[in-house]
Amino acid sequence: SYELTQPPSVSVSPGQTARITCSRDDLPDQYVHWYQQKPGQAPVLVIYKDIERPPGIPERFSGYSSGTTVTLTISGVQAEDEADYYCQSGDSTGIYYVFGAGTKVTVL
Amino acid sequence: EVQLVQSGAEVKKPGESLMISCKVSGYSFITHWIGWVRQMPGRGLEWMGVIYPGDSDTRYSPSFQGQVTISADKSINTAYLQWSSLKASDTGMYFCARQSDNYGYFDFWGQGSLVTVSS
């Protein structure tokens, strides 16, 4: 089955840059999307189609794709960015989608 | 304003049936896929499947095929997730979400429905 691999956790000091990777086990023929989820809340889309930012999402959130790895970057991390982050992508058919296992971002 | 409002928390016994709902407003229900996502306690998100209310085309993750049924009633702008025989392992939070276009991302989410299955 198709899988996306994320690091379990990332720790970062306020004002620094957090980078969360999402690795696929095949060629990148599908876009990757990113969600932020805070405890007790529904996920929120923060990046779609690798690099696009939805309305209302701060500019400090950005996406980058290179080969089979896609990266979510949070520049100038703030305390409110502490959350779980999930990547999502589709298999080669574009019919089925999967989420990565999630990365917990801790702001020190 | 796009809104997805889900039905409330449920407590069921193993073997019982259940249907939870997701009522949408603020956009044309029949022109966007609606998906369901499971989150078991303390765990990550799992893509269960999607339905296109316009023609009821439905796609399931292989992990959930045969375990649940996704349906929609376009007359009342509501999508459903149904179990015929619940198991304790079905305990979790279930989110509905609107798929924006053909690239699979969910741009609007419901608040979640907590399902607890316990004897």
Side-chain angles (χ1 to χ4, degrees):
Chain A
S1 62
Y2 188 70
E3 291 188 359
L4 301 172
T5 302
Q6 298 181 235
S9 62
V10 167
S11 297
V12 59
S13 299
Q16 299 303 303
T17 297
R19 294 181 179 86
I20 306 162
T21 57
C22 177
S23 299
R24 298 174 283 196
D25 55 2
D26 63 3
L27 290 174
D29 57 352
Q30 293 288 332
Y31 287 114
V32 171
H33 321 297
W34 291 93
Y35 302 87
Q36 175 195 69
Q37 187 183 32
K38 296 181 179 179
Q41 298 184 18
V44 172
L45 180 70
V46 293
I47 292 290
Y48 65 99
K49 291 165 64 174
D50 291 351
I51 62 171
E52 302 294 335
R53 193 171 50 249
I57 299 301
E59 291 185 6
R60 63 180 182 273
F61 289 89
S62 63
Y64 173 77
S65 177
S66 178
T68 58
T69 299
V70 179
T71 302
L72 172 68
T73 300
I74 312 172
S75 304
V77 166
Q78 300 181 8
E80 66 196 52
D81 300 331
E82 186 164 284
D84 293 324
Y85 291 83
Y86 296 91
C87 61
Q88 179 207 12
S89 189
D91 71 349
S92 58
T93 68
I95 294 176
Y96 305 110
Y97 292 84
V98 295
F99 289 97
T103 298
K104 182 175 182 58
V105 170
T106 300
V107 181
L108 302 171
Chain B
E1 179 190 11
V2 174
Q3 288 191 316
L4 291 83
V5 179
Q6 297 185 229
S7 49
E10 301 273 3
V11 179
K12 292 288 190 179
K13 290 181 168 38
E16 292 185 332
S17 62
L18 175 65
M19 176 182 279
I20 62 175
S21 65
C22 172
K23 183 170 179 60
V24 314
S25 60
Y27 74 96
S28 176
F29 181 58
I30 62 173
T31 59
H32 289 75
W33 292 83
I34 288 279
W36 287 93
V37 175
R38 182 175 79 174
Q39 187 166 39
M40 299 173 72
R43 306 296 294 274
L45 305 176
E46 298 175 88
W47 191 91
M48 301 177 70
V50 291
I51 187 166
Y52 190 76
D55 61 7
S56 293
D57 185 10
T58 309
R59 300 166 181 180
Y60 295 93
S61 162
S63 299
F64 290 93
Q65 179 81 48
Q67 308 304 308
V68 297
T69 301
I70 296 171
S71 60
D73 185 338
K74 55 189 178 184
S75 69
I76 55 172
N77 290 357
T78 302
Y80 301 96
L81 179 65
Q82 182 177 6
W83 295 262
S84 59
S85 180
L86 286 160
K87 302 184 284 288
S89 57
D90 292 317
T91 293
M93 183 71 81
Y94 292 84
F95 295 99
C96 66
R98 187 185 85 159
Q99 186 171 301
S100 179
D101 55 25
N102 292 330
Y103 296 103
Y105 59 93
F106 296 121
D107 58 352
F108 290 93
W109 292 68
Q111 82 277 18
S113 297
L114 180 63
V115 174
T116 303
V117 184
S118 175
S119 55

